Amino acid sequence: EPEVTQTPSHQVTQMGQEVILRCVPISNHLYFYWYRQILGQKVEFLVSFYNNEISEKSEIFDDQFSVERPDGSNFTLKIRSTKLEDSAMYFCASSKTTGGGRETQYFGPGTRLLVL
Amino acid sequence: AQKITQTQPGMFVQEKEAVTLDCTYDTSDPSYGLFWYKQPSSGEMIFLIYQGSYDQQNATEGRYSLNFQKARKSANLVISASQLGDSAMYFCAMREGRRYGNKLVFGAGTILRVKS
């Protein structure tokens, strides 16, 4: 069964460094998302992406964040200058259009980011 | 106001028994979808079941069923014949509107422990 994949599974970085989190969505999906989950907290929406542009973004998704689909398969989240509070699990998700709004978002296994 | 409320931080259930995890939601949009995801200790988010606001019948997927009470704005997950592998965090989530690509809003989650 097709699945969303994410790399790396774990990333440790120093505060102020740039990180790029990578995702390969399910191949026939058209909508892509990033969510994050700070340890012990709820999952929060960051950004959605469709047709090579951002559809919606949350307040969390400030100028330090960017997303890109550099080729036909990868979807990336870049954090330009990481802060301690960016430490979280980052989930990529994807969905395709179906009739009647029965659209399910399938999540990748996550990248656990630790900022020191 | 919280969009999704899960009032049970933790639940215990005996193996082979049924358990109900509560979820209430708040929306003024007549079109919405409700989702349940399972998050094992390994961290991935596994889609379990979906209920659309216009669905006439409660959703079922194997041992999972959704007790959808629209007037009460509740969408409780029922797991029948619990197994040890059901021990995990369970999240209720909502997508508002019929537009494809809308974000999911998650509740705080319920930790379920299945006892042998």
Side-chain angles (χ1 to χ4, degrees):
Chain A
E1 188 171 319
E3 58 184 20
V4 177
T5 60
Q6 290 185 242
T7 54
S9 57
H10 294 78
Q11 173 106 37
V12 180
T13 190
Q14 295 292 323
M15 192 169 55
Q17 294 295 305
E18 173 184 287
V19 294
I20 298 176
L21 310 183
R22 302 179 194 280
C23 168
V24 179
I26 296 173
S27 62
N28 61 348
H29 284 191
L30 300 177
Y31 294 88
F32 315 119
Y33 314 82
W34 285 100
Y35 292 82
R36 80 171 185 191
Q37 183 183 30
I38 294 172
L39 188 64
Q41 298 187 23
K42 65 172 71 173
V43 178
E44 302 173 291
F45 169 77
L46 291 177
V47 66
S48 58
F49 192 86
Y50 171 71
N51 201 25
N52 282 319
E53 60 182 29
I54 290 174
S55 301
E56 186 179 3
K57 59 183 181 179
S58 71
E59 294 173 350
I60 304 167
F61 195 87
D62 61 21
D63 292 344
Q64 294 299 315
F65 292 88
S66 63
V67 288
E68 194 177 33
R69 188 151 163 84
D71 53 43
S73 58
N74 289 283
F75 178 52
T76 62
L77 174 70
K78 181 192 291 186
I79 310 175
R80 269 182 263 283
S81 178
T82 50
K83 305 173 201 154
L84 296 176
E85 55 264 37
D86 293 328
S87 295
M89 177 79 101
Y90 287 81
F91 290 104
C92 174
S94 70
S95 67
K96 65 176 179 180
T97 58
T98 57
R102 301 186 71 85
E103 169 206 353
T104 297
Q105 294 180 22
Y106 293 92
F107 282 69
T111 293
R112 199 175 293 277
L113 177 66
L114 178 60
V115 182
L116 302 176
Chain B
Q2 294 285 334
K3 291 269 187 183
I4 296 286
T5 301
Q6 295 181 253
T7 57
Q8 306 152 314
M11 291 279 287
F12 283 96
V13 65
Q14 197 66 39
E15 195 178 8
K16 299 180 186 176
E17 292 185 352
V19 62
T20 298
L21 306 183
D22 295 342
C23 173
T24 57
Y25 59 91
D26 181 29
T27 181
S28 57
D29 197 316
S31 180
Y32 53 89
L34 297 157
F35 301 79
W36 278 91
Y37 287 85
K38 172 184 177 182
Q39 187 178 43
S41 57
S42 50
E44 71 266 36
M45 295 283 287
I46 302 167
F47 166 72
L48 295 178
I49 195 166
Y50 166 86
Q51 180 84 45
S53 59
Y54 295 114
D55 291 345
Q56 296 296 313
Q57 294 188 326
N58 287 345
T60 60
E61 291 284 349
R63 293 188 299 110
Y64 304 108
S65 61
L66 208 150
N67 183 1
F68 182 45
Q69 298 189 43
K70 196 169 180 177
R72 294 185 178 183
K73 294 188 174 179
S74 74
N76 299 338
L77 177 70
V78 180
I79 306 174
S80 63
S82 297
Q83 302 171 356
L84 295 177
D86 294 334
S87 293
M89 176 76 94
Y90 288 80
F91 289 100
C92 179
M94 177 173 66
R95 185 193 68 242
E96 294 176 291
R98 292 186 67 85
R99 186 177 70 90
Y100 294 122
N102 284 354
K103 66 186 180 196
L104 293 179
V105 177
F106 284 82
T110 296
I111 298 175
L112 177 67
R113 290 287 176 253
V114 181
K115 299 184 289 185
S116 59

